[in-house]
Amino acid sequence: MLNGKIAVITGGARGIGAAAAAKLAAQGADIAVIYAGSSALAAQVCSQCSSLHGVKARAYPCNVADFDAVRQTVTQIRSDFGTVHILVNNAGITRDGLVAAMSEQTFDEVLDVNLKGAFNMIRHCAGLMIRNRFGRIINITSVAALTGNPGQANYAASKAGLIGLTKTVARELAPRGITCNAVAPGFIATDMTKELSGQAAQLAAGIPLGHMGTAEDVAQAVAFMADAPYITGEVLRVDGGIAM
Ligand code: NAI
């Protein structure tokens, strides 16, 4: 159980982030949702966490790619909640295209959100966790980081970078009682993959378990890592076996 723990989830207004917020709230954690898109969706996630599980939940608009905005948001969360125990770096974007034609801007945008965004959050939350001598950092990477994926040079590079970040942070902060792990989803049915829904049967044929995963499947792995005292630097695939 996570009673008394404060969890920050980036990109928590929908998809995997919203499912992770609900799961951590169900385990008793108070929830700070960071969102970049719809404030109505973020508010809905928070009100469900509070009404269903009786935890405190608040939403904060913030672009995780902006170092100063993240500093200000974490300062606000500290003032509202007191500290941070669990950080789920879930915010992510895709801007797919073949590498031979990819613009510099398209590459940078994806790296800025997916990789630098996670660094920014860790950078500004680590001090609070060090003071607590406790922390759980969970970075949402992707099987694209493990296998590569044509059309996703920027995305796969950002997600592979997250694995290096995860292992380094795990080593640096282990002496302070802080773990850092990555969860690597495969094909999960969310807004990010909705344009693939027409190819569901074709995709399923390549997945050993025979179907796409759900946001809840990934949230279960996040909650496991949030409560795992002796696992750090690990990459846990939640992919129906696709990248084994
Ligand atoms: P999604 O598109 O529904 O959720 C992404 C969330 O990140 C959105 O709420 C969005 O507003 C937020 N976000 C985007 N840019 C942001 C920024 N600059 N600052 C703050 N928030 C920002 O997609 P989904 O599927 O829920 O993705 C969640 C994570 O899981 C992402 O990191 C994604 O790369 C990863 N993932 C998803 C897979 C899938 O098949 N759906 C597979 C592997 C990894």
Side-chain angles (χ1 to χ4, degrees):
M1 291 304 281
L2 301 173
N3 298 85
K5 297 289 191 289
I6 317 295
V8 178
I9 300 108
T10 69
R14 68 181 201 202
I16 292 170
K23 191 80 180 167
L24 295 176
Q27 309 279 315
D30 290 328
I31 302 294
V33 165
I34 289 180
Y35 69 96
S38 160
S39 61
L41 279 182
Q44 196 181 327
V45 169
C46 289
S47 72
Q48 281 178 0
C49 287
S50 305
S51 61
L52 292 178
H53 307 296
V55 301
K56 178 171 165 179
R58 284 201 187 164
Y60 301 84
C62 174
N63 173 9
V64 295
D66 182 333
F67 188 83
D68 288 331
V70 169
R71 180 173 43 73
Q72 285 165 23
T73 302
V74 172
T75 301
Q76 188 59 50
I77 291 170
R78 184 191 179 187
S79 135
D80 293 344
F81 287 84
T83 189
V84 172
H85 299 105
I86 299 164
L87 168 62
V88 184
N89 282 311
N90 164 80
I93 59 170
T94 54
R95 297 281 184 273
D96 295 354
L98 295 174
V99 71
M102 187 174 286
S103 71
E104 181 184 13
Q105 187 193 350
T106 301
F107 188 85
D108 287 349
E109 272 174 18
V110 171
L111 269 286
D112 280 352
V113 175
N114 296 8
L115 182 55
K116 196 180 146 204
F119 161 73
N120 289 343
M121 290 299 306
I122 292 168
R123 168 68 182 78
H124 293 300
C125 290
L128 298 174
M129 292 180 176
I130 288 169
R131 242 163 278 158
N132 294 332
R133 298 199 63 78
F134 178 92
R136 300 278 180 262
I137 300 169
I138 300 145
N139 297 320
I140 309 299
T141 175
S142 166
V143 291
L146 306 174
T147 63
N149 197 24
Q152 292 199 309
N154 48 3
Y155 183 78
S158 71
K159 295 297 190 179
L162 263 184
I163 293 177
L165 180 68
T166 298
K167 293 184 180 185
T168 299
V169 169
R171 285 185 186 275
E172 279 189 24
L173 298 184
R176 314 295 193 126
I178 299 164
T179 67
C180 183
N181 291 290
V183 170
F187 286 112
I188 308 298
T190 66
D191 285 352
M192 186 175 272
T193 51
K194 67 174 182 264
E195 72 274 15
L196 300 174
S197 58
Q199 308 158 44
Q202 195 188 329
L203 281 174
I207 303 172
L209 283 177
H211 58 88
M212 286 175 82
T214 64
E216 288 69 29
D217 291 330
V218 183
Q220 190 178 44
V222 170
F224 169 75
M225 285 304 191
D227 209 16
Y230 200 60
I231 301 175
T232 198
E234 186 56 278
V235 182
L236 176 57
R237 287 184 297 105
V238 183
D239 68 346
I242 206 168
M244 74 172 119

